[in-house]
């Protein structure tokens, strides 16, 4: 254990949690943190005191995650909260996303960086509309792994048939979605069954408890290591005689691999050159891959600035100004409609965008396409066509999260009003 | 070929990415630097982000005047060695100008007073982004923070109305007079910071390591005896073997009894710790929402 801590060479798993109101999501996270001994004594004391003040019967585990005054007063979760814990095998980042008014916005936000999503289902209610919505969003955001936790098994007498029905109903619904890995775990977040420790109340369940699942799920394919894309963030040009000729193109590898000697093409100019070195403060690297932050030095002096992209000549992204995308709308005051204008942020590039067409909206509860209603309101998801002011260098979101995603910004308020996934 | 990065390297890359975004998206950023471990790690990451060039922003310390002398000495030596630009703004000046009022009583602290000095400095230098080393794991209100945290023209944080942050796309757009607080270490935990210090062999002020010091117990917080805090009659001063897990003002930073005198020992100690590092900070213990309240007013 001690050498592992010192070597600090652990994996990182990012996951998000989704469930409807009162599914016990905050309780589950509280339980996960508490049983994995990730709650500190002073945090526990504070929650105990607060629970007593509020007149809660037991220590209210939800108070561990609801950090804002308004949340504690109203007993609800308002905003995405991030939690951290580690076991000897892995470090975890949880995006805890609340299911209230801005449910889509919150879940999409949490899901955008997640490798895995936990979907909570109340055993008493089974698969409900929200479950379908959450599964759809998880698929849309291309989360690789879904864990359906059938919670509150204690309230249905640990009955296997209840669990089996949820599993069958979910699978039936999910067959229409493009889910790669779905697992099911019967749990009681309140009592701790199958969260960290295996449940003694459900001997019929042969699978792993939740924590073990989180610790062992394969995440080696979280990044695309095939299509080499390097969006330039910043140009490093030291103003000193020692480094007079240094010109480093700084950025984070979005996908693929770059090595010294590789031939590269710079977009949008189309000029080609070769990589002279991959520079870091710790020395030059033999190769750079996603998600490393490095500086690239080229043999030829060509004009490159922020927003440009360095790629391989035999594997270029799409280049274009007409973008087809699925978009999630976040604003509760403005609507998206044909003719609306926005600022669009994609990799390190910012361009103007105009909505040319709203093709359809998706009823996220039934997965039906709704045509003939071109106005997007808060939480609505659908397919649109955008025209942008300068060419984007992009891939489909399905193939490349980093170069297939964008956000829309309202130019008047500067608020982020939408998230897009390029088709 | 196995293209995998350890969690520490992933966190490092993320922080470097954020720092470069700040340099590119803002006209006049500043890195808040106190000489504490998180800000030393921040400086180290900033050097990595722009190497071999100098930093594209200055450092600034909002100095309460109640710091540990070891921290200030370390701060000045490090900045001198690197040849970077450091701005020091004194809370004492804000008090002398009548802009801030000193708290009274035995538990008086200048923690909250820093808000005035910080907001005045932002206005004086026209800073549009302040890079800070705050982490989401430190405190429950901070768990709700964004990497790019928008502040209105009064420097206020509106936690119920934050911009969503998706993927690695950070929206730093603002109206005139507004500014951002940027937190590249958002996803780091205390243990990550220490593992990184160990991995990168980063030097720290000596107060983080075990040493003998005269301390006294005040409501469970082990305070160091100094010219800024007077022990009450009921509080007895004694010499103990201690170190500090977090370094703020001498008036409110509690010591922990510890024999850990190397970064390796500290990593092991932190990994086994059952109390958060801010558990020894009297400034967070004032009320249940002390941090949220301060942040809404413009605190880091």
């Amino acid at each position: 254990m001690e050498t592992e801590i010192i070597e600090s060479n652990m994996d990182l798993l990012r996951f998000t949690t989704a469930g409807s109101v009162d599914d016990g999501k905050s309780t589950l996270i509280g339980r996960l943190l508490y049983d994995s001994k990730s709650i500190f004594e002073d945090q526990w004391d504070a929650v105990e005191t607060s629970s007593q003040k509020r007149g809660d019967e037991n220590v209210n585990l939800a108070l561990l995650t609801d950090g804002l005054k308004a949340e504690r007063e109203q007993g609800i979760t308002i905003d995405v909260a991030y939690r951290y814990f580690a076991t000897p095998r892995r470090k975890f980042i949880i995006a805890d996303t609340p299911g209230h008014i801005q449910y889509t916005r919150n879940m999409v936000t949490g899901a955008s960086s997640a490798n895995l999503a936990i979907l909570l289902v109340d055993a008493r209610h089974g698969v409900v509309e929200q479950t379908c919505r959450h599964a759809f969003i998880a698929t849309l955001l291309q989360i690789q792994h879904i864990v359906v936790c059938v919670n509150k098994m204690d309230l249905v007498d640990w009955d296997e048939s209840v669990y089996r029905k949820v599993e069958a109903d979910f699978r039936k619904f999910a067959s229409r979605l493009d889910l790669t890995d779905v697992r099911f775990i019967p749990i009681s977040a309140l009592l701790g069954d199958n969260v960290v420790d295996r449940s003694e109340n459900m001997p019929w369940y042969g699978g792993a408890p939740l924590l073990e699942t989180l610790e062992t799920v394969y995440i080696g394919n979280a990044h695309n290591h095939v299509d080499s894309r390097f969006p330039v963030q910043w140009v490093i040009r030291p103003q000193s005689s020692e480094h007079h000729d240094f010109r480093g193109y700084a950025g984070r590898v979005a996908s693929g691999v770059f090595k010294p000697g590789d031939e590269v093409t710079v977009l949008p100019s189309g000029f080609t050159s070769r990589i002279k070195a991959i520079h870091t403060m710790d020395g030059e690297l033999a190769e750079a891959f996603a998600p490393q932050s490095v500086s690239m030095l080229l043999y030829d002096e060509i004009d490159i600035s922020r927003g440009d992209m360095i790629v391989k000549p035999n594997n270029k992204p799409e280049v274009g100004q007409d973008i087809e995308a699925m978009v999630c709308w976040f604003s509760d005051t403005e609507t998206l409609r044909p003719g609306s204008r926005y600022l669009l942020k994609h990799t390190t590039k910012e361009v103007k965008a105009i909505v040319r067409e709203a093709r359809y909206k998706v009823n996220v509860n039934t997965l039906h396409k709704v045509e003939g209603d071109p106005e997007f309101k808060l939480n609505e998801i659908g397919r649109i066509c955008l025209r942008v002011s300068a060419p984007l260098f992009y891939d489909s979101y399905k193939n490349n999260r980093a170069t297939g995603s964008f956000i829309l910004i309202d130019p008047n308020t500067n608020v982020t009003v939408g998230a897009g996934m390029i088709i | 070929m196995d293209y995998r990065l350890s969690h520490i390297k992933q966190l490092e890359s993320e922080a470097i990415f954020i720092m470069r975004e700040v340099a590119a998206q803002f006209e006049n950023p500043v890195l808040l630097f106190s000489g504490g471990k998180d800000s030393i790690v921040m400086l180290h990451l900033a050097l990595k982000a722009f190497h071999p060039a100098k930093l594209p922003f200055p450092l600034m310390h909002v100095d309460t005047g109640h710091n540990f002398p070891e921290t200030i000495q370390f701060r000045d030596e490090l900045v001198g060695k690197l040849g970077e630009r450091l701005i020091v703004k004194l809370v004492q000046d804000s008090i002398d100008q009548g802009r801030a009022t000193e708290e009274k009583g035995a538990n008086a602290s200048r923690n909250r007073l820093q808000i005035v000095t910080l907001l005045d400095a932002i206005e004086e230098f026209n800073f549009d982004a302040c890079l800070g080393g705050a982490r989401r794991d430190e405190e429950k209100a901070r768990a709700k923070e964004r990497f790019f945290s928008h502040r209105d023209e009064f420097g206020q944080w509106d936690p119920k109305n934050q911009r969503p942050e998706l993927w690695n796309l950070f929206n730093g757009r603002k109206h005139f007079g507004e500014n951002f607080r940027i937190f590249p270490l958002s996803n780091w935990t205390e243990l990550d910071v220490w593992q990184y210090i160990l991995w990168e062999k980063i030097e720290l002020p000596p107060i983080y390591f075990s040493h003998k010091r005269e301390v006294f117990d005040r409501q469970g917080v082990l305070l160091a005896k100094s010219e800024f805090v007077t022990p009450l009659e009921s509080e007895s001063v004694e010499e103990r073997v201690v170190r500090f897990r977090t370094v703020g003002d001498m008036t409110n930073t509690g010591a922990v009894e510890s024999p850990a005198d190397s970064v390796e020992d500290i990593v092991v100690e932190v990994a086994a710790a059952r109390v958060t590092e801010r558990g020894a900070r009297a400034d967070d213990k004032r009320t249940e929402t002390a941090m949220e309240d301060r942040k809404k007013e413009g605190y880091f």
Side-chain angles (χ1 to χ4, degrees):
Chain A
M1 171 86 181
E2 286 195 7
T3 34
E4 275 164 26
I5 293 165
I6 300 234
E7 283 172 7
S8 65
N9 189 14
M10 287 197 292
D11 262 352
L12 179 61
L13 177 84
R14 297 174 192 247
F15 69 93
T16 182
T17 52
S20 10
V21 183
D22 294 333
D23 273 351
K25 200 155 46 67
S26 295
T27 312
L28 174 65
I29 292 175
R31 172 62 65 188
L32 211 47
L33 297 176
Y34 183 73
D35 285 359
S36 65
K37 304 194 171 38
S38 309
I39 301 288
F40 295 97
E41 281 166 14
D42 51 326
Q43 289 174 320
W44 184 252
D45 292 347
V47 167
E48 215 169 20
T49 314
S50 300
S51 303
Q52 279 164 5
K53 257 194 235 165
R54 297 156 47 100
D56 292 333
E57 206 173 299
N58 297 310
V59 173
N60 187 342
L61 290 171
L63 291 177
L64 285 167
T65 55
D66 294 337
L68 299 175
K69 197 185 276 185
E71 294 176 321
R72 297 160 89 85
E73 281 165 7
Q74 299 169 41
I76 57 164
T77 315
I78 292 171
D79 199 356
V80 183
Y82 295 88
R83 295 286 148 194
Y84 304 84
F85 74 102
T87 66
R89 293 201 219 180
R90 259 185 193 161
K91 175 188 160 93
F92 299 94
I93 301 180
I94 315 174
D96 179 16
T97 65
H100 283 272
I101 310 142
Q102 296 181 316
Y103 53 83
T104 301
R105 169 186 140 154
N106 289 325
M107 180 164 174
V108 169
T109 302
S112 72
S113 57
N115 314 106
L116 179 148
I118 295 177
L119 306 188
L120 270 167
V121 176
D122 187 324
R124 296 168 304 169
H125 306 140
V127 172
V128 293
E129 276 192 353
Q130 272 110 322
T131 320
C132 304
R133 183 205 301 154
H134 295 146
F136 172 69
I137 293 173
T139 317
L140 186 68
L141 273 288
Q142 296 279 318
I143 297 183
Q144 303 153 289
H145 309 282
I146 307 285
V147 178
V148 180
C149 284
V150 185
N151 191 24
K152 307 197 183 184
M153 287 300 292
D154 51 314
L155 299 183
V156 294
D157 294 327
W158 317 104
D159 183 352
E160 182 179 2
S161 66
V162 174
Y163 165 77
R164 292 292 168 209
K165 179 159 192 319
V166 172
E167 185 178 355
D169 288 352
F170 188 91
R171 284 204 190 277
K172 194 170 151 209
F173 172 82
S175 63
R176 291 145 65 198
L177 297 170
D178 181 23
L179 292 174
T180 41
D181 174 33
V182 188
R183 298 152 198 237
F184 297 84
I185 307 177
I187 65 165
S188 166
L190 188 69
L191 303 175
D193 289 68
N194 282 339
V195 178
V196 170
D197 300 314
R198 192 170 291 278
S199 170
E200 287 174 13
N201 295 308
M202 294 178 279
W204 45 263
Y205 172 72
L210 179 60
L211 184 64
E212 194 184 318
T213 306
L214 297 174
E215 280 183 314
T216 51
V217 69
Y218 178 70
I219 48 170
N221 51 359
H223 290 275
N224 172 332
H225 293 303
V226 178
D227 309 307
S228 301
R229 311 277 185 259
F230 187 79
V232 175
Q233 243 190 313
W234 175 261
V235 182
I236 297 176
R237 297 206 63 181
Q239 305 296 317
S240 67
S241 49
E242 188 193 346
H243 300 289
H244 188 71
D245 294 326
F246 187 98
R247 191 190 282 211
Y249 304 106
R252 180 144 70 150
V253 181
S255 58
V257 183
F258 292 91
K259 295 188 178 87
D262 282 354
E263 198 181 337
V264 291
T265 300
V266 181
L267 298 173
S269 70
F271 288 127
T272 56
S273 183
R274 276 191 310 126
I275 299 173
K276 193 166 149 190
I278 293 165
H279 175 91
T280 72
M281 193 170 91
D282 306 314
E284 294 185 356
L285 302 183
E287 58 185 352
F289 55 91
Q292 283 181 311
S293 288
V294 297
S295 305
M296 228 179 261
L297 278 62
L298 303 182
Y299 277 107
D300 304 281
E301 269 204 24
I302 35 186
D303 179 25
I304 303 177
S305 52
R306 176 174 167 86
D308 291 357
M309 190 182 281
I310 297 175
V311 302
K312 301 277 181 75
N314 58 359
N315 179 341
K316 289 183 191 162
E318 303 279 333
V319 179
Q321 287 178 260
D322 293 296
I323 309 294
E324 289 279 336
M326 294 300 286
V327 69
C328 306
W329 192 245
F330 296 154
S331 173
D332 47 8
T333 53
E334 307 291 325
T335 58
L336 174 144
R337 63 169 82 90
S340 311
R341 287 164 188 273
Y342 304 103
L343 295 166
L344 182 152
K345 221 180 233 299
H346 171 259
T347 64
T348 56
K349 207 172 170 72
E350 200 174 288
V351 295
K352 288 177 184 155
I354 180 163
V355 179
R356 285 184 47 184
E357 211 175 317
R359 300 200 187 282
Y360 60 81
K361 290 196 277 194
V362 178
N363 179 329
V364 293
N365 298 323
T366 60
L367 299 190
H368 291 144
K369 287 181 189 172
V370 183
E371 290 179 35
D373 177 11
E375 280 205 20
F376 283 62
K377 293 181 276 299
L378 175 69
N379 292 325
E380 291 190 327
I381 296 175
R383 179 163 170 172
I384 61 166
C385 171
L386 290 165
R387 173 79 184 174
V388 293
S389 58
L392 297 184
F393 324 122
Y394 64 93
D395 297 284
S396 73
Y397 184 80
K398 201 173 164 47
N399 287 328
N400 201 325
R401 260 180 163 182
T403 56
S405 53
F406 62 83
I407 55 170
L408 295 173
I409 298 167
D410 184 319
N412 297 318
T413 61
N414 291 329
V415 171
T416 304
V417 286
M421 284 139 286
I422 300 172
I423 290 167
Chain B
M1 186 63 212
D2 185 19
Y3 294 114
R4 264 201 292 189
L5 282 186
S6 70
H7 79 288
I8 288 287
K9 286 305 227 182
Q10 288 190 47
L11 293 173
E12 179 191 64
S13 176
E14 179 177 76
I16 290 173
F17 177 81
I18 302 283
M19 295 212 180
R20 288 169 172 171
E21 278 303 290
V22 170
Q25 289 196 34
F26 295 92
E27 284 181 15
N28 197 15
V30 64
L31 191 153
L32 299 174
F33 183 77
S34 65
K37 70 175 190 315
D38 298 306
S39 67
I40 291 170
V41 166
M42 285 279 286
L43 175 56
H44 185 80
L45 290 161
L47 293 171
K48 285 198 167 197
F50 304 103
H51 189 269
K54 289 263 181 230
L55 299 185
F57 37 71
L59 315 176
M60 180 166 77
H61 185 201
V62 178
D63 188 342
T64 59
H66 287 175
N67 291 287
F68 289 84
E70 296 93 329
T71 314
I72 299 299
Q73 191 191 342
F74 187 90
R75 174 196 81 187
D76 292 341
E77 282 174 10
L78 180 60
V79 173
K81 194 170 75 185
L82 296 171
E84 297 290 348
R85 185 171 152 230
L86 172 72
I87 299 164
V88 178
K89 296 306 284 182
L90 303 172
V91 171
Q92 187 62 52
D93 288 348
S94 302
I95 294 169
D96 294 345
Q97 291 157 11
R99 308 260 308 130
T101 311
E102 191 99 71
E103 293 182 1
K104 299 202 171 53
N107 290 320
S109 148
R110 287 184 168 182
N111 189 290
R112 206 184 184 105
L113 274 56
Q114 292 177 88
I115 299 171
V116 175
T117 315
L118 173 67
L119 295 182
D120 285 354
I122 288 173
E123 208 169 298
E124 180 187 345
F125 294 98
N126 248 323
F127 291 131
D128 54 359
C130 300
L131 283 151
R135 309 187 318 265
R136 287 178 183 148
D137 85 314
E138 276 182 86
E139 205 280 335
K140 56 188 183 297
R142 284 196 165 151
K144 303 264 163 172
E145 261 294 6
R146 300 293 190 263
F147 280 90
F148 276 42
S149 180
H150 178 258
R151 304 299 162 105
D152 67 11
E153 64 267 48
F154 302 102
Q156 298 180 110
W157 183 51
D158 182 2
K160 285 203 275 183
N161 195 19
Q162 300 195 76
R163 295 179 184 176
E165 276 181 351
L166 299 107
W167 298 292
N168 295 308
L169 299 168
F170 296 97
N171 174 3
R173 296 192 65 92
K174 62 192 178 317
H175 292 294
F176 183 77
E178 299 174 345
N179 65 76
F180 273 80
R181 305 293 164 79
I182 316 274
F183 303 110
L185 303 185
S186 288
N187 278 334
W188 297 50
T189 61
E190 184 191 13
L191 183 59
D192 296 329
V193 170
W194 281 106
Q195 284 175 327
Y196 189 68
I197 288 166
L198 176 68
W199 182 265
E200 294 285 314
K201 303 186 176 62
I202 297 171
E203 283 187 43
L204 294 181
I207 50 172
Y208 284 106
F209 302 97
S210 182
H211 58 281
K212 281 186 190 155
R213 186 180 286 265
E214 286 194 297
V215 294
F216 61 94
D217 190 320
R218 177 171 291 170
Q219 291 160 3
V221 177
L222 220 48
L223 291 178
K225 191 185 155 211
S226 73
E227 55 180 304
F228 311 117
V229 230
T230 322
L232 303 172
E233 257 178 50
S234 57
E235 297 165 337
S236 58
V237 178
E238 53 185 309
E239 192 181 82
R240 295 206 213 171
V241 177
V242 297
R243 64 175 204 89
F244 293 89
R245 276 176 83 182
T246 153
V247 171
D249 280 3
M250 297 192 80
T251 54
N252 55 28
T253 306
V256 289
E257 299 202 74
S258 163
D261 57 4
S262 69
V263 180
E264 282 89 345
D265 288 353
I266 292 174
V267 167
V268 173
E269 187 181 283
V270 168
R274 297 306 308 144
V275 179
T276 61
E277 61 179 332
R278 293 197 82 93
R281 287 287 281 258
D283 40 342
D284 290 342
K285 289 194 167 180
R286 291 190 163 190
T287 69
E288 198 180 349
T289 53
M291 176 67 86
E292 181 180 345
D293 296 341
R294 274 180 293 158
K295 282 175 71 69
K296 282 181 182 161
E297 288 174 30
Y299 194 71
F300 318 119

